[in-house]
Amino acid sequence: MSADLGHSPSLHIDGAIATITLRRPAQANRLEVQDLALIEQQIEQINADVSVRVLCLTATGSTFCSGFNTRRLADRSALKQAAPSDTAPTAGSVFEVCAQALENARPLTVAGINGGLYGGATDLALACDFRIAVQSSKLFVPAAEIGLHFYGSGLGRYVSRLGLNMAKRVLLAGERLDAPQMLACGFVDELVADTDALTTALQQRAAHLARLAPLAVQGMKRHLNALARGTLDEQLLRQDVQQANNSADFLEGIQAKTEKRPAVFRGR
């Protein structure tokens, strides 16, 4: 069955806020090989646009994402197109590249979770900096039930975000989490009543993040993620600290505090 390219993820940029929307609700927003490749391209486009300070990942319908199209799991030729290498590609390797691109995105990222999320889609959400979900959300990773070994960076995100014990409960034991459990374990930062409330909360969170000093928050994001992976580059950290602390934005922030007004940051 060919992918419905007319319902591929869309990208919309409105000033400082970019939004990638999953648009295959009739199939629970499952992701095809082409979708993952497109999301990577969209992230590259966003990274190149320095005016964008926040990236929101959202979805249509009542399911956030059901993960990779399981009918494609054995389709090596399709996977090869998305992850060309000498090593035989897997669904995990294709998903991993996309999740890594999302974690490493220059802007701050927020996932708006409008319902269930399953399999690799859980890692796409974890790759975002913040996550807001509706009360009807639920989470399940069927890897152990179908014999699929989750990829390395995804394992790392589960451990660094949720802790080893919760990672084992979700990935090894296949526990299903409801929204209150997702909030309690730190998978999501905020729960809202429904999709209307989610839209409002996502807009408010994105607007707040977009007002922050980009040199500071983007640098801190980069190094916080590196610390979580155990890959902190001390020299790069010092360079980013110096750049932010010597910036016009820092002076603007201090002056705005003194004058008791909102700061206007320009990223320089």
Side-chain angles (χ1 to χ4, degrees):
M1 183 182 296
S2 61
D4 183 358
L5 298 180
H7 292 84
S8 296
S10 64
L11 170 61
H12 175 71
I13 298 177
D14 182 9
I17 301 171
T19 303
I20 294 176
T21 305
L22 308 183
R23 302 184 303 142
R24 197 169 284 115
Q27 290 78 38
N29 287 315
R30 73 185 182 203
L31 292 168
E32 305 286 348
V33 172
Q34 297 91 332
D35 296 328
L36 294 166
L38 178 58
I39 292 172
E40 291 172 48
Q41 294 170 9
Q42 291 168 338
I43 293 172
E44 289 179 3
Q45 180 181 341
I46 291 165
N47 287 339
D49 186 348
V50 295
S51 66
V52 174
R53 299 183 182 181
V54 181
L55 166 59
C56 298
L57 180 63
T58 66
T60 55
S62 58
T63 300
F64 178 71
C65 181
S66 58
F68 193 73
N69 182 357
T70 54
R71 297 184 182 183
R72 303 278 182 182
L73 288 175
D75 188 350
R76 300 292 186 183
S77 61
L79 293 171
K80 190 74 172 178
Q81 295 175 11
S85 69
D86 294 332
T87 304
T90 64
S93 64
V94 176
F95 236 103
E96 181 170 25
V97 172
C98 187
Q100 287 294 93
L102 189 55
E103 176 174 305
N104 295 327
R106 176 187 51 74
L108 300 183
T109 53
V110 189
I113 301 170
N114 58 309
L117 68 167
Y118 308 99
T122 63
D123 190 42
L124 291 183
L126 281 177
C128 292
D129 299 312
F130 306 98
R131 291 163 294 281
I132 305 172
V134 298
Q135 287 281 358
S136 60
S137 297
K138 52 189 176 181
L139 176 158
F140 172 55
V141 180
E145 294 187 1
I146 64 174
L148 178 68
H149 194 308
F150 218 75
Y151 49 87
S153 64
L155 296 176
R157 264 183 291 275
Y158 259 93
V159 172
S160 66
R161 271 60 162 181
L162 308 183
L164 180 59
N165 289 343
M166 182 56 67
K168 287 182 176 180
R169 287 171 57 183
V170 173
L171 297 175
L172 301 187
E175 286 193 26
R176 290 161 169 80
L177 304 184
D178 60 19
Q181 290 171 314
M182 291 164 66
L183 180 64
C185 76
F187 190 95
V188 298
D189 308 301
E190 180 183 353
L191 289 180
V192 296
D194 51 31
T195 53
D196 288 339
L198 178 63
T199 298
T200 299
L202 195 60
Q203 290 173 344
Q204 292 175 343
R205 179 69 64 96
H208 167 71
L209 295 175
R211 289 192 293 268
L212 302 177
L215 291 179
V217 296
Q218 291 170 17
M220 288 190 288
K221 166 185 171 168
R222 179 162 51 249
H223 300 299
L224 285 168
N225 285 339
L227 281 165
R229 296 190 298 266
T231 59
L232 180 66
D233 184 326
E234 294 280 359
Q235 182 177 354
L236 181 58
L237 172 60
R238 287 192 294 271
Q239 290 173 356
D240 283 349
V241 168
Q242 184 176 19
Q243 181 186 27
N245 292 353
N246 291 338
S247 68
D249 275 355
F250 179 62
L251 295 177
E252 163 64 10
I254 296 298
Q255 186 172 354
K257 284 290 186 183
T258 301
E259 298 174 356
K260 298 181 179 180
R261 61 171 175 81
V264 179
F265 296 114
R266 305 189 185 282
R268 58 178 186 267

